[in-house]
Structure formats: C-alpha cells, structure tokens
C-alpha cells in the first residue's frame, strides 16, 4: 500500500523544522554543503513496510569510482550512519504514527549526529568521523579491504581541499598500509595504480578544486545552505 503523499510531506516538513540549517533536496533528503562535501539526513523508507528510518549521510563533491559529476557523487555516500534508540536498536518509525515519536527521535538524532549542522567544521573533525566509521562493522572485519581504501581516499581528497600538505600527510599513512591486493582485484582495482592516482590528484589540485566548484554550481546543489571546512 502506497503511503499518502500528504503524510510523507508532513513528515519531511517536521524534520525540516527541526533542522533549519539543512535544505530540502528531495522528498526525503535534507542536505547542506560543507567545503568539498555534502552532509545531512535521509529518511529511508523500509522495504515492504510503511515505516522509515533516519540516517546521517556524507557525500563528496569531488567524485568517486563512478565519476565526478553530481549524479555520480550522490550515487554513493562516503558515510551512511543509522541512529539507535535507547535500547540500541535502529529506529523504525511508522509514517502513520510519526507525530507520536518525532520529538523523541529528533532529540536522539541531535545527540548522535557526528558532525554539527549549524557551524563550520574542521578538517580534523571530519577525518575523525571517517576514522570512527572505518572501525565499525562490517568495515572493521577487513581493515585493508578496498572499502577501507575508498574511505581513506575520501579522507585524502577532503584534506586536499584544505591544502597539499594536509593531503600528502594522509597519503603517507595510506602508503604504509598493507592493502589486501586480492580484495582490490575483486573490486576491479589495481593497488599500485590506485596509489599513483592519489598522488596525481594531489599534483593536480587546481583541477580537483575546479571540479568541486563546478558541482557546487549545479542548480539544486547551489540552493543548499553551506558552511566552511576549516583547517
């Protein structure tokens, strides 16, 4: 059974009112731009039910394996994090009972959200959140997998937005890791070529910054509220 459109509209309006620092991007997505990334909330409908679950998300504006344009950037988040209730379970909020739960859920989301929506954010803070995420299951089970490498790449490119020195420092850490070459191969990636591509990106920082700026000019992205990424 389809959920009533007016009901879904009311749900996202309540979330928008609770987080005025975010801009409505789509019917169930609230975003803002912070330097080279987009952060925000997504209300993801659970399959075969009339319930939704709030998630914290981070997307890049510098691209990923799928490409560099806005569509590719938003096709796969750097980070997708669920929120838990007091018992440690994920929220399953029925659309029809949304009004009953919303105030408690919003308070909980505000406490658990790892990055602030209402201020500038330091590079150190974003790096720390990505590192914490990399230690959570199932990622923690394979610390040298390509999935971990993709997180490290996002970290490096976020640092590159601030400067070459910051990015080079992340690359040094990446080069020290004993990456799982077989897992890279299974994902269609050659470790050495990947490492070289990171160095190339650092060397071509001007092009990198131009791509971010081009994505920020996208019609919908340009309408989002924004904060600065600080050194």
């Amino acid at each position: 059974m389809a959920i009533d459109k007016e009901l879904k509209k009311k749900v996202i309006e309540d979330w928008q009112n609770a987080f005025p620092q975010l801009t409505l991007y789509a019917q169930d997505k609230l975003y803002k731009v912070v330097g080279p990334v987009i952060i925000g909330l997504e209300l993801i409908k659970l399959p075969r039910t009339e319930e939704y679950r709030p998630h914290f998300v981070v997307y890049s504006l510098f691209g990923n394996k799928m490409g560099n344009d806005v569509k590719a950037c938003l096709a796969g988040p750097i980070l997708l994090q669920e929120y838990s209730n007091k018992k440690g379970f994920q929220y399953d909020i029925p659309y029809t009972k949304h009004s009953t739960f919303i105030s408690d859920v919003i308070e909980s989301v505000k406490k658990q959200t790892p990055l602030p929506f209402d201020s500038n954010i330091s590079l150190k803070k974003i790096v720390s959140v990505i590192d914490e995420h990399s230690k959570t299951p199932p990622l923690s089970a394979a610390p040298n997998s390509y999935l971990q490498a993709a997180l490290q790449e996002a970290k490096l490119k976020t640092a590159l937005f601030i400067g070459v020195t910051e990015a080079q420092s992340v690359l040094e850490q990446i080069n020290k890791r004993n990456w799982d070459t077989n897992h890279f191969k299974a994902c269609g990636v050659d470790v050495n070529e990947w490492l070289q591509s990171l160095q190339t990106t650092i060397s071509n920082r001007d092009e990198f910054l131009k791509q971010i700026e081009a994505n920020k000019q996208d019609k919908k992205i340009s309408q989002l509220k924004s904060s600065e990424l600080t050194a």
Side-chain angles (χ1 to χ4, degrees), residues 38-219:
I38 288 170
I39 68 171
L41 296 169
E42 291 185 6
L43 311 180
I44 299 176
K45 184 186 176 298
L46 300 174
R48 298 177 298 281
T49 71
E50 291 178 34
E51 299 172 333
Y52 73 88
R53 189 175 283 170
H55 292 71
F56 171 74
V57 289
V58 180
Y59 291 93
S60 87
L61 281 167
F62 43 72
N64 52 38
K65 197 180 171 188
M66 291 169 270
N68 295 331
D69 61 5
V70 169
K71 189 178 177 185
C73 289
L74 294 176
I78 297 171
L79 195 149
L80 177 79
Q81 183 176 308
E82 292 152 342
Y83 292 97
S84 305
N85 61 25
K86 286 171 185 167
K87 293 180 180 174
F89 298 117
Q90 292 157 22
Y91 283 105
D92 299 338
I93 306 162
Y95 283 94
T96 51
K97 293 184 182 173
H98 158 82
S99 302
T100 313
F101 296 107
I102 187 68
S103 56
D104 282 351
V105 175
I106 281 170
E107 279 314 304
S108 178
V109 164
K110 284 180 177 175
K111 284 176 189 161
Q112 291 179 59
T113 296
L115 293 171
F117 292 142
D118 57 355
S119 63
N120 295 337
I121 299 174
S122 68
L123 173 63
K124 187 178 175 186
K125 181 65 180 165
I126 285 194
V127 164
S128 154
V129 167
I130 293 174
D131 283 343
E132 279 306 307
H133 180 63
S134 74
K135 294 172 191 165
T136 58
L139 287 164
S140 53
N144 295 313
S145 69
Y146 176 68
L147 298 176
Q148 289 280 4
L151 278 178
Q152 294 304 310
E153 179 173 339
K155 198 164 84 173
L156 178 145
K157 289 179 175 176
T158 304
L160 184 59
F161 183 79
I162 296 294
V164 168
T165 307
E166 289 80 358
Q168 208 68 52
S169 170
V170 177
L171 184 59
E172 282 171 23
Q173 297 303 315
I174 289 172
N175 281 325
K176 287 176 187 170
R177 295 274 280 268
N178 183 24
W179 295 107
D180 181 347
T181 52
N182 289 329
H183 190 264
F184 271 68
K185 273 183 196 162
C187 296
V189 181
D190 177 277
V191 173
N192 293 322
E193 285 177 10
W194 173 69
L195 292 170
Q196 183 54 52
S197 75
L198 297 181
Q199 185 60 67
T200 302
T201 301
I202 293 174
S203 303
N204 297 320
R205 181 171 180 260
D206 287 350
E207 289 302 310
F208 169 79
L209 293 176
K210 273 184 198 165
Q211 181 63 55
I212 294 169
E213 201 47 49
N215 287 338
K216 284 185 178 180
Q217 299 307 317
D218 172 84
K219 190 178 174 187

